Amino acid sequence: MNGVRFPAKRAVARGAFAGILVLFLLAAGCIGNEGSAAASRHIAVTGSTTVLPIAESEREAFEAKFSDADIKISGGGSSVGIKAVGEGTADIGMSSRDLKPEEVALYPDIVRHEIARDAIILIVNQQNPVDHLTLDQIRGIFNGTYANWNQVGGSDLPIVVVGRDSASGTREYFWESVMKKGNFTSRQEEFNSNGGIQQKVSRTPGAIGYVGLGYTSGVKALHLQVDGTSVEPTLETIRDGRYPLSRPLFLLTKGQPGGLAKEYIDFILSDEGQEIVARAEYIPLPS
């Protein structure tokens, strides 16, 4: 009986020792999979839904090169991104507009990093026969002067005005550049993302909205009538200035970036990163 019990005790002791060793090594971080190492470097990026498609495409390429990087990206609008980075709840903010004077006063250490250029595109339903509008006609539609498409060369169909909410940098740019800081019609339906406007217009025959370059799938992009010439919004006309509604896009950091945030921004500004900007159908920075 004793000859059987002693080996059993030794086996139990070895098992206990092995278990303790495993727990020790796990606690010390000496064993584990690559996923635990990948979570060791992470940053949060939030803000403009116009900048979001660029940030997502860049993240995919960056994380494919650096497996220890973990970049979380979310939308919400430029105002959300500026506030988040200013108050330190995000590492990088995304904005499709420059900071307002009151935001500069509130967050004086925010640093801007221009990463690309974009254009504001007027979109209508694909069934709408109207192909182009002047800036005056667009302003008249969004301030309520025109309520039917037959007033601007279209068919007898009520106009459904669709715009962005007050957190949007795209709305801010449109309000300054097209509305000349005038009021929007009270009939305007507001959405918190470019994607929301794109979906609404694609499903509503009389709708018109404004979006960034990356949101023209499934809708018709209107040409702008400029000095008697119809100008299609293409990369060429936006880049050479013939299409007048274009603006810079920014990433924002609180002070000069360091660590993973700096590596991510540097990657976007590299030749490889700017090629990704072009593939996402935005305007790369001049080389």
Side-chain angles (χ1 to χ4, degrees):
M1 295 291 291
N2 289 342
V4 174
R5 285 197 301 268
F6 288 150
K9 287 181 178 179
R10 285 196 295 272
V12 170
R14 290 193 194 101
F17 175 76
I20 293 171
L21 181 60
V22 168
L23 291 173
F24 174 79
L25 291 173
L26 283 170
C30 297
I31 60 176
N33 56 32
E34 292 182 356
S36 62
S40 62
R41 293 207 310 155
H42 65 273
I43 54 174
V45 182
T46 190
S48 166
T49 60
T50 298
V51 184
L52 192 145
I54 298 176
E56 281 285 9
S57 297
E58 301 283 0
R59 177 194 61 76
E60 290 178 8
F62 186 85
E63 289 184 347
K65 294 171 70 78
F66 304 100
S67 59
D68 63 334
D70 179 24
I71 301 172
K72 303 296 186 187
I73 299 175
S74 61
S78 297
S79 295
V80 171
I82 292 168
K83 181 178 181 182
V85 74
E87 297 183 352
T89 59
D91 301 284
I92 297 176
M94 301 182 287
S95 181
S96 60
R97 63 168 173 82
D98 209 343
L99 273 67
K100 301 174 183 176
E102 58 268 30
E103 291 169 332
V104 173
L106 191 60
Y107 310 118
D109 48 358
I110 284 183
V111 176
R112 302 174 309 155
H113 310 271
E114 184 176 342
I115 61 167
R117 292 193 68 84
D118 182 36
I120 298 293
I121 309 298
L122 275 298
I123 58 172
V124 296
N125 187 272
Q126 289 182 323
Q127 303 305 315
N128 194 321
V130 172
D131 293 321
H132 57 78
L133 293 170
T134 67
L135 287 175
D136 286 341
Q137 288 174 320
I138 295 168
R139 188 181 310 111
I141 288 173
F142 279 85
N143 68 19
T145 300
Y146 305 124
N148 193 299
W149 281 105
N150 61 16
Q151 296 175 281
V152 291
S155 55
D156 182 12
L157 180 69
I159 297 175
V160 178
V161 179
V162 183
R164 294 294 306 276
D165 62 12
S166 59
S168 166
T170 302
R171 174 187 170 122
E172 188 78 14
Y173 178 86
F174 189 84
W175 177 66
E176 292 182 354
S177 301
V178 178
M179 300 301 291
K180 305 302 182 187
K181 300 187 178 182
N183 292 331
F184 289 98
T185 173
S186 60
R187 295 184 290 103
Q188 177 175 253
E189 295 183 36
E190 297 184 357
F191 290 80
N192 64 1
S193 69
N194 282 282
I197 290 180
Q198 179 188 26
Q199 289 185 18
K200 175 69 178 181
V201 172
S202 69
R203 297 169 180 169
T204 308
I208 181 172
Y210 54 88
V211 294
L213 261 177
Y215 295 88
T216 56
S217 177
V219 293
K220 179 197 279 188
L222 291 180
H223 300 197
L224 291 186
Q225 195 76 8
V226 181
D227 297 329
T229 302
S230 180
V231 180
E232 182 181 3
T234 65
L235 296 183
E236 180 183 359
T237 60
I238 296 166
R239 186 179 287 115
D240 66 20
R242 279 180 289 161
Y243 187 85
L245 301 179
S246 68
R247 57 187 173 159
L249 302 178
F250 301 103
L251 294 184
L252 310 170
T253 57
K254 192 172 186 177
Q256 293 296 336
L260 183 56
K262 183 178 187 306
E263 293 175 32
Y264 178 59
I265 293 172
D266 286 347
F267 176 77
I268 295 174
L269 296 175
S270 70
D271 291 343
E272 182 179 356
Q274 290 297 294
E275 289 176 3
I276 293 172
V277 167
R279 288 201 296 272
E281 299 187 345
Y282 290 81
I283 312 298
L285 298 176
S287 55

